[in-house]
Amino acid sequence: MEQSEKVNEIFEYLTEMFGEAPECELNYESDIQLMVAIILSAQCTDKRVNIVTKTLFKKYKDVHDFANADMDELGQDIYSTGFYKNKSRNIIAMAKEVIGKHGGVIPKDMDELTKLAGVGRKTASVFMAEFYDIPAIAVDTHVIRVGNRLGLTESKNPIVIERDLKQIFDERNWAAYHFYLVLFGRYFCVARNPKCEECRIKEFCKHYNKVIH
């Protein structure tokens, strides 16, 4: 089977599972809320982040509130998301930079986004795809795992994986396919004890063919 046919079959299946328009599972109402939520989601589940931000976003309502936050107090507010000291420091610094350099509006350009405190390429890609609907592929642990298992890439390097996936997928589908891979990895193709017996695309899976089958 050619790669294009394989990709089509994989994503027809994932479309059946997650619908035509897969979405980020983080709750937000503004650009600053989305960026804060993405930063908090590092090494933390979206479910936990949404629990924290339900209260957090009532206390810190806009970019100025985050920029003027007390680092220790913000750290306690986000404590349960983990790495709270680094996250609180980065959120405050990021908010100040957004105000000072971008007029209070988070930019949509990858180069400008990755200059912000706490914003790497993965975070920037999620933000661009979700908030501005700009084609992007964010490579997180789920994308790395699923991409390798399904033979979409043979690398563990996020930069290389992003390049590989962008060469395989139609640009207009980058964001959707990224979310499909994330959701599939989060709920089905998990790191330990993946639900292989329920999976209709296991024929493409290196993990299934080498470890389980």
Side-chain angles (χ1 to χ4, degrees):
M1 179 181 291
E2 293 185 0
Q3 181 80 320
S4 60
E5 294 177 346
K6 170 182 163 181
V7 169
N8 287 338
E9 190 165 332
I10 289 171
F11 287 101
E12 282 179 8
Y13 174 58
L14 297 183
T15 301
E16 288 180 23
M17 294 180 72
F18 302 111
E20 292 286 346
E23 297 179 347
C24 174
E25 295 188 315
L26 296 170
N27 297 330
Y28 69 94
E29 294 182 354
S30 65
D31 59 347
I32 188 63
Q33 287 188 0
L34 175 60
M35 183 60 79
V36 168
I38 297 171
I39 291 174
L40 293 180
S41 71
Q43 305 298 313
C44 183
T45 65
D46 287 2
K47 182 178 180 181
R48 165 55 55 185
V49 171
N50 286 335
I51 292 172
V52 170
T53 57
K54 185 175 181 179
T55 301
L56 187 74
F57 292 158
K58 292 178 181 178
K59 182 175 182 178
Y60 305 93
K61 296 181 172 60
D62 56 31
V63 67
H64 295 279
D65 287 344
F66 282 108
N68 295 320
D70 176 80
M71 190 171 72
D72 291 335
E73 184 176 353
L74 178 59
Q76 289 304 307
D77 293 333
I78 64 173
Y79 179 84
S80 64
T81 67
F83 302 97
Y84 65 98
K85 290 184 178 180
N86 284 337
K87 289 179 180 180
S88 60
R89 184 183 303 111
N90 285 332
I91 287 170
I92 293 170
M94 176 271 296
K96 288 180 177 178
E97 291 166 0
V98 169
I99 293 170
K101 299 178 181 178
H102 303 286
V105 178
I106 297 179
K108 60 178 66 176
D109 177 75
M110 173 65 76
D111 290 338
E112 292 301 320
L113 283 168
T114 52
K115 291 176 184 176
L116 297 174
V119 179
R121 192 169 183 87
K122 182 192 77 172
T123 297
S125 293
V126 174
F127 182 83
M128 289 167 59
E130 175 66 15
F131 196 79
Y132 287 119
D133 198 27
I134 295 172
I137 296 177
V139 179
D140 65 0
T141 55
H142 300 300
V143 174
I144 294 172
R145 181 174 64 256
V146 175
N148 274 271
R149 285 180 175 177
L150 293 178
L152 302 175
T153 182
E154 295 184 353
S155 177
K156 296 298 175 67
N157 184 311
I159 299 296
V160 176
I161 294 172
E162 181 182 345
R163 182 197 65 199
D164 290 345
L165 297 182
K166 284 182 174 179
Q167 290 176 344
I168 295 172
F169 307 153
D170 187 315
E171 182 175 350
R172 63 185 176 180
N173 294 324
W174 283 355
Y177 283 5
H178 152 253
F179 284 127
Y180 282 137
L181 293 176
V182 170
L183 294 172
F184 187 55
R186 182 176 294 165
Y187 298 113
F188 293 92
C189 193
V190 294
R192 297 182 180 181
N193 301 316
K195 301 177 182 180
C196 297
E197 295 307 321
E198 302 175 24
C199 182
R200 293 211 322 257
I201 54 175
K202 57 181 175 283
E203 65 183 286
F204 305 126
C205 180
K206 294 180 179 180
H207 176 77
Y208 178 77
N209 289 316
K210 290 183 179 180
V211 179
I212 297 178
H213 189 49

